[in-house]
Amino acid sequence: MKIERHDRSCNRRGFLRRLGALSGMAAGSLVLPALVRGRASPTAASAGTPASASKERSREPSVNSSHARECMFYKKHPEMEVECEICPRKCRVGDIERGYCGTRENRNGVYYSLAYALPCAIHVDPIEKKPLFHFHPGTNAFSLGTAGCNMDCKFCQNWEMSQARPEQTSNVHLPPKETVEKARQASCASVAFTYSEPGVVAYEYMLDTAIEGKKSGIKTVMISNGYINREPMLEAAKHLGAVKIDLKAFTEKYYAEICDATLKPVLDTLVLLKSSGVWCEIVYLVLPTLNDGDSEIVSASKWIAQELGPDVPLHFTRFYPIYKMTKLPQTPISALEKARKIAMNAGLHYVYIGNVPGHEGENTYCPSCKKAVVKRIGYSIVERKLSEGRCAYCKAKIAGVWG
Ligand code: SF4
């Protein structure tokens, strides 16, 4: 997903005009790009301890937001301190301070979500771009992102929004009801919370949108790093249509050094999603020399097969140099092919290669007769041999939500 950046000429009136024109736009259309005001250079973002609110950012005035909404899942402590319980960082935040993600602020002992209903990027994307290959294929997702993230991955392709605070991006006010209405006008089957980490750092916005969308049959999907606590994830899973989780590697070392986070909570989220029954797909971005070792891919694949079952789609995607990782080469296609083979040998039924348009690893193959039941080129479906979720050739069931 490529987000245009630094469209400094666009003012709020311009945003709204473009948003109003949404209903005439096709998939892939840019509705509202990520608009970023005066961000620090990428090297300014610091590493910190995952359990603290230590991501250093210059203290700036609170976002002037009359839209801020009181957070869910937090505890009040003496002397107006609060403790956020949305994600494993469990930030303890003093008065007029924010948590690590920079989007939640303590005001007189009450914790507020500042990114609520304030997306800074909106696009109409094919659902395949999320990527979700087994969830209403061929439909569009009304896709939005807000400022902020609870990780700081050195390879983030959307770092200018993920590492920003809401006052550092140019936003449009789009409450849940209007979000769903815009999605409907754009003929989207779903709303995707994506690009940065809006499903976690703007959790309440996603949850309210999911609840609103259910009234009119628009499903909400969460495109996420999975770094979220059990209770909020359980609550959201009741209302979400699908979730895509980034399994960024299979070692704590990688999570600590590359993402400023930890692996265990992500695995816990995957297990929880499996038990909740919400449709889930996994992306593993393959970084040369850092998470592409055979033993790590074997361990990850076996864990998925054993803990989640063989039907969870796994996408091995190609890395391109960006952000703090410009010296690393792009992933060789041979490394992706090797990873795919390992995962299939571990028993996984649906293993894909991503970011290599035209590769046969983009297709869905029937696990029974091995024939291609969905052929893709990039995000486009070029042939579909599926009928009511079954292989057109041998009638075997293909796991997914086909609609
Ligand atoms: S959601 Fe943000 S404020 Fe809450 S614990 Fe996570 S990083 Fe901290």
Side-chain angles (χ1 to χ4, degrees), residues 47-51 87-89 100 149-153 225-228 248 251-266:
T49 53
C87 92
R89 293 187 184 278
Y100 178 98
C149 184
N150 58 344
M151 289 190 184
D152 185 7
C153 301
N225 58 27
Y227 205 51
I228 183 169
K248 293 170 191 279
T251 65
E252 289 290 356
K253 183 171 185 287
Y254 180 102
Y255 266 83
E257 292 177 359
I258 308 295
C259 307
D260 191 22
T262 54
L263 167 64
K264 174 74 166 51
V266 179

Side-chain angles (χ1 to χ4, degrees), residues 284-364:
Y284 190 110
L285 180 72
V286 181
L287 271 70
T289 72
L290 295 178
N291 67 356
D292 61 346
D294 288 3
S295 61
E296 187 169 354
I297 303 288
V298 167
S299 301
S301 302
K302 283 186 174 170
W303 183 89
I304 293 169
Q306 282 164 16
E307 301 294 330
L308 311 178
D311 286 338
V312 177
L314 173 60
H315 304 250
F316 289 109
T317 55
R318 191 179 206 185
F319 159 82
Y320 288 93
I322 197 167
Y323 189 35
K324 299 177 188 174
M325 290 219 150
T326 52
K327 294 205 166 61
L328 207 61
Q330 66 183 34
T331 318
I333 293 174
S334 59
L336 299 165
E337 289 170 338
K338 194 174 178 190
R340 180 166 179 258
K341 199 170 172 188
I342 289 172
M344 290 169 79
N345 286 341
L348 297 182
H349 289 160
Y350 310 105
V351 187
Y352 298 101
I353 287 178
N355 292 343
V356 187
H359 194 283
E360 64 175 14
E362 291 183 315
N363 300 332
T364 301

Side-chain angles (χ1 to χ4, degrees), residues 84-87 89-91 99-101 104 111 150 200-201:
C84 182
E85 296 183 309
I86 289 285
C87 92
R89 293 187 184 278
K90 291 193 166 253
C91 299
Y100 178 98
C101 57
R104 297 172 165 264
Y111 210 31
N150 58 344
V200 176
V201 305

